[in-house]
Amino acid sequence: MKQQGGCQCGAVRFTTTDTPVRAMACHCTSCKLRSGSPYGVGVYFNESDVTMNDAQLGTYQFESDTTGRWIRNEFCVKCGSAVSWTLEMRPGLRAIAGGAFDNPDWFTIAAHIWTRSARSDMCYPDGMPVHEEALK
Ligand SMILES: [Zn+2]
Ligand SMILES: [Zn+2]
């Protein structure tokens, strides 16, 4: 199962192979700020299943004020689109920003997490698992 995507300006392109380890919608502050959206969608792959082209990715690393562990955001230096990230908490995995895929529907969101910081008008699909904090 090969999928492709990239940033807004098209400089950064990636290919993913195999199925994601997990895909989640996250309402934490970090995902809001990284994506500029009410929530972020993270599609997590084994690192070896993600190939980036050779466009330059900017990085920004910070420590979560909740967990104290680092998160490293990766973005297009030309257009600023959020593309991917890695986390100390999930070694060996690389997350792709859900909105960056050419086909927005090929993966299934398994859960919404950190909903305690979600917008108050947020609605969830019927039957969707919803977690106040991280998925254990
Ligand atoms: Zn770009
Ligand atoms: Zn998050």
Side-chain angles (χ1 to χ4, degrees):
M1 189 192 303
K2 197 169 163 180
Q3 297 292 330
Q4 292 189 310
C7 65
Q8 190 166 24
C9 77
V12 175
R13 294 292 296 168
F14 59 78
T15 303
T16 61
T17 50
D18 214 338
T19 50
V21 175
R22 60 170 70 188
M24 289 182 303
C26 181
H27 300 257
C28 82
T29 308
S30 164
C31 285
K32 287 180 206 278
L33 294 173
R34 171 184 55 74
S35 65
S37 307
Y39 61 91
V41 174
V43 188
Y44 288 82
F45 292 88
N46 288 312
E47 240 160 355
S48 56
D49 291 328
V50 178
T51 309
M52 294 280 175
N53 70 356
D54 52 13
Q56 195 191 346
L57 281 174
T59 60
Y60 174 69
Q61 181 171 312
F62 68 102
E63 281 181 13
S64 162
D65 57 6
T66 311
T67 65
R69 287 178 283 203
W70 59 258
I71 302 168
R72 190 180 300 133
N73 292 338
E74 300 171 314
F75 50 91
C76 174
V77 294
K78 200 170 157 195
C79 70
S81 298
V83 176
S84 51
W85 64 96
T86 53
L87 301 104
E88 185 177 3
M89 197 180 157
R90 308 215 179 277
L93 299 187
R94 190 171 189 175
I96 299 288
F101 285 98
D102 294 343
N103 175 355
D105 282 331
W106 79 274
F107 61 88
T108 304
I109 292 174
H112 282 240
I113 62 170
W114 287 106
T115 57
R116 72 172 193 197
S117 47
R119 278 179 57 92
S120 59
D121 64 353
M122 184 67 202
C123 298
Y124 303 97
D126 283 345
M128 175 65 69
V130 170
H131 302 269
E132 284 270 295
E133 294 191 354
L135 206 57
K136 296 291 177 265

